[in-house]
Amino acid sequence: MSAVRPGEAGATRACPHCKATILESSAVCPACRGHLRFDATATDAAQRFVPLHVEGTLRGDDHGSFEYTMVVVIRNERGEEVGRHVAGVGAVFPGEARSFSVAVEALPVPAGRRRRH
């Protein structure tokens, strides 16, 4: 993956609250939900869309407990892995349940911030 210069689409920074790597353009940290900028316009929120949202639940049954690992993998258009993150691990016991939700939020990039080739 090539380096992205500050101010270009895809540029990142660390959240000052939780230190998660986030988009430079973020007004709210998606990890800790801390506010980063108060200059975000209502247009930003109106243009935001969710092209992917998947939910599921694991339930423990009477056959015993099991362990789980939730892994998020991102691939580029050639199928090459560009990111991998273990989001959580744990166990589910009889009578318990764990719900998982994965969502991708997107916001169109203004023409002036697009990456140059």
Side-chain angles (χ1 to χ4, degrees), residues 24-63:
E24 186 178 71
S25 61
S26 296
V28 176
C29 175
C32 71
R33 297 184 181 157
H35 287 269
L36 306 167
R37 290 189 357 248
F38 293 96
D39 64 344
T41 65
T43 306
D44 286 353
Q47 291 180 342
R48 210 169 279 282
F49 62 100
V50 180
L52 173 70
H53 188 177
V54 180
E55 291 188 28
T57 301
L58 298 177
R59 297 189 187 286
D61 58 23
D62 294 333
H63 299 333

Side-chain angles (χ1 to χ4, degrees), residues 1-27:
M1 181 185 225
S2 60
V4 179
R5 288 180 264 189
E8 290 184 348
T12 61
R13 65 180 172 139
C15 171
H17 306 114
C18 70
K19 308 303 179 216
T21 299
I22 61 172
L23 287 170
E24 186 178 71
S25 61
S26 296

Side-chain angles (χ1 to χ4, degrees), residues 89-111:
V89 298
V92 177
F93 299 96
E96 293 184 344
R98 298 290 183 277
S99 293
F100 302 86
S101 177
V102 176
V104 175
E105 290 185 359
L107 179 67
V109 177

